[in-house]
Amino acid sequence: MTDRALVVVRAGALTTVQDRGRPGHAHLGVPRSGALDPPSAALVNRLAGNSPDAAVLETTLDGCAVRARSSVTVAVGGAPCPVTVGGRPAPWGAPVRVPAGEVLEVGTAVAGVRTYVAVSGGVAVEPVLGSRSTDLLSGLGPPPLTDGTVLPLGAPAGPPARTDTAPQPAPPAELVLRITPGPREDWFTPRALSDLTTVAYRVSPASNRIGLRTEGPTLERSRAGELPSEGMVLGAVQVPPDGHPLIFLADHPTTGGYPVPAVVHPADLAGAAQARPGTPLRFVPVRRR
C-alpha cells in the first residue's frame, strides 16, 4: 500500500464510507445506500477538490479521528462540530491541510447527527456494484470503521476550493416533510390520514440509516392483515403493526409487506438525516405532479 492512506485512530459510534450509492439494483434486492445527507457530502467533496463521485466518511454524533500517512487536504461539513489538526483548532466547512503523520480529530456534533469528511483523492476502498458505500442492511461495501482500519486514498483530482468558509444549512429545529399520498392510503381510516398531516410527531431515538422512526399518534387501519410483499422506494412512509410511521432512508429494504400511506419528497430526506431524537416532525401534504 502507498503512503496515500488514512489510519483510523478513533472510529466513533458509527463511521462509514459513503458515496452516491448503488441506484438501479433494486431488482436484485440491493438497496441504494449512499450518504444520508447528499448535499453535505457533495459540498465537502467540492471543498477538497474531489469529483462528486468520490467516497467520503460519514460519522454519527461523536465524530472520529484519523491519522494521515501523507500530506492531504480535508474538508469537514454536515453536522457542525469542533475540528482539530495535530491538537490545534482548524476550520469546519473549509479546506484544511493535514501534514503527514498528523491526526485530524472530528469532534462531537453540536447540532445535527451526521458529519462528513472528504479527503483529497477520496477514500479508495474496493467498489461493490459500482459503489464504495457501506450498506448496513445488506452488508455490501466496507464494514463500519474500527480503530486501526487503514483506508487507501485515490489520486487528487484537482485543487481545493479557494474559500475561507462555505455556508451550509443548519440542522432542522423542526423537521417538515412534504408527502404525496399513496399507494396504500385506502388501508387507513379517514381519521388516521387526517392525523398524519395535522398532528405533531417527534423523531424517535430508534432511528438509523435504514429508517427514521417516529413517536406520536398511532395510525388506525381500516383493513386488517398484511400485503403480499411489494417494492419499496426511498422516502416511503411505512406503517408497521405498532401504528407509528417509519420513513425509509438510504439503507432501506427494497421490498416490504406493511402498507405505505404516503411517500416523502426526496429533497426533504437530507433534513431527516440530520434530525436528532426528539426533534418535532410534521408531515405536509403536496399535490402529485
Side-chain angles (χ1 to χ4, degrees), residues 196-221:
L196 180 63
T197 55
T198 59
V199 177
Y201 286 84
R202 297 180 304 278
V203 175
S204 165
S207 303
N208 54 29
R209 280 187 49 85
I210 296 170
L212 185 86
R213 294 185 178 274
T214 64
E215 296 174 338
T218 58
L219 299 184
E220 183 183 22
R221 295 263 297 270

Side-chain angles (χ1 to χ4, degrees), residues 22 29-31 33 129 133-141 210 251-253:
R22 303 180 180 85
V30 175
S33 194
L129 293 176
S133 288
T134 300
D135 182 339
L136 297 180
L137 184 66
S138 70
L140 294 176
I210 296 170
D251 286 357
H252 71 87

Side-chain angles (χ1 to χ4, degrees), residues 130-224:
S131 170
R132 295 183 167 92
S133 288
T134 300
D135 182 339
L136 297 180
L137 184 66
S138 70
L140 294 176
L145 302 193
T146 57
D147 295 355
T149 299
V150 178
L151 296 170
L153 300 176
R162 300 179 66 177
T163 181
D164 293 331
T165 186
Q168 300 184 45
E174 179 190 36
L175 182 61
V176 178
L177 299 177
R178 293 168 290 172
I179 56 172
T180 50
R184 302 295 177 185
E185 71 268 33
D186 59 332
W187 282 58
F188 295 87
T189 65
R191 171 66 180 275
L193 296 175
S194 174
D195 283 350
L196 180 63
T197 55
T198 59
V199 177
Y201 286 84
R202 297 180 304 278
V203 175
S204 165
S207 303
N208 54 29
R209 280 187 49 85
I210 296 170
L212 185 86
R213 294 185 178 274
T214 64
E215 296 174 338
T218 58
L219 299 184
E220 183 183 22
R221 295 263 297 270
S222 60
R223 294 175 59 173

Side-chain angles (χ1 to χ4, degrees), residues 26-27 29-31 137 228-233 238 248 252-258:
H27 64 294
V30 175
L137 184 66
S229 189
E230 63 180 357
M232 291 288 150
V233 299
Q238 193 186 62
F248 276 158
H252 71 87
T254 57
T255 60
Y258 301 135

Side-chain angles (χ1 to χ4, degrees), residues 44-72:
V44 293
N45 265 332
R46 287 198 297 274
L47 293 172
N50 291 340
S51 79
D53 295 322
V56 301
L57 300 181
E58 179 185 276
T59 76
T60 307
L61 288 175
D62 70 344
C64 69
V66 293
R67 185 185 303 280
R69 281 187 170 177
S70 62
S71 183
V72 294

Side-chain angles (χ1 to χ4, degrees), residues 100-117:
E102 294 281 19
V103 172
L104 167 72
E105 176 76 35
V106 179
T108 299
V110 297
V113 177
R114 294 174 171 93
T115 295
Y116 292 87
V117 183

